Amino acid sequence: MKLRQKVGYVGLTLAAVGLSLNTLAADPVTPKLTDRLSQLLQQEMRSIQSAMASIHVSMVTGEHERVETKAQQIHDSFIMKQALTEQDKKDLMSAVPEGFVKLDKDFHRLAAGLAEAAKDRDTQKQYELYNEMTGSCIACHNRYVSDRFDGLAEQ
C-alpha cells in the first residue's frame, strides 16, 4: 500500500477514534490517585512525551536507530512498575479501572512494535504504529484524565 493510501487509512482510523471519544468518557482517575502515584504517573508521562517528540523527528528524517531506541525506552519505561511499592500497587489498582490498565498495556505493546519496525527500517509501519500510539494517548487522556485535559472533552 502506498504512503498516501496509508495516510488516508490512518486518518480514517484516527477519525473513528475521535468520533468514539465522547462515548468513552469516564470518571477521571487523577483525584483517586495518591500524591505519590500522581507524581510517578506524571513523571512517566513527561518521559513518554519527550520520547514521542524525538521519535517523530527521527521518523521523518529516517533515523531508524533513534526511533528504535526511543520506542524501546517507552516500552521499557514502566516507571509505574519499577518504582511502586506493594502498597502503591494496591492503591493504583483501587484507583484505576481495568480499562486504564488495558490501554496502558496496549500502548507499551505498540511501542515494542514500533521499535521492531524501526529495527526492520520499515518507515510505513513506524508511521502506522506511531499514529496508533497517539490515538491511544488521546483516548486515555479523554477517558481517564479529562480533568487535566478539558480541551479533549470539547471534541
Side-chain angles (χ1 to χ4, degrees), residues 38-97:
S38 182
Q39 290 172 353
L40 288 171
L41 187 57
Q42 287 178 31
Q43 180 183 354
E44 182 175 7
M45 292 301 107
R46 283 190 299 273
S47 174
I48 289 171
Q49 180 182 15
S50 175
M52 290 289 286
S54 179
I55 288 168
H56 179 264
V57 170
S58 299
M59 275 189 336
V60 300
T61 57
E63 297 176 62
H64 302 288
E65 294 81 14
R66 186 156 177 79
V67 172
E68 180 182 0
T69 298
K70 292 298 182 179
Q72 192 62 48
Q73 285 175 351
I74 291 173
H75 175 264
D76 296 341
S77 68
F78 294 118
I79 290 171
M80 295 295 287
K81 264 189 173 175
Q82 294 173 10
L84 294 183
T85 65
E86 285 304 313
Q87 185 60 51
D88 289 335
K89 290 177 186 176
K90 289 177 185 174
D91 292 343
L92 177 65
M93 296 319 290
S94 69
V96 300

Side-chain angles (χ1 to χ4, degrees), residues 119-144:
K119 184 177 180 181
D120 293 342
R121 304 178 69 82
D122 185 343
T123 303
Q124 299 295 328
K125 187 69 172 171
Q126 291 172 52
Y127 175 77
E128 292 169 12
L129 291 166
Y130 183 86
N131 282 331
E132 284 186 58
M133 290 171 70
T134 301
S136 178
C137 292
I138 293 168
C140 186
H141 292 171
N142 185 65
R143 185 164 190 181
Y144 300 112

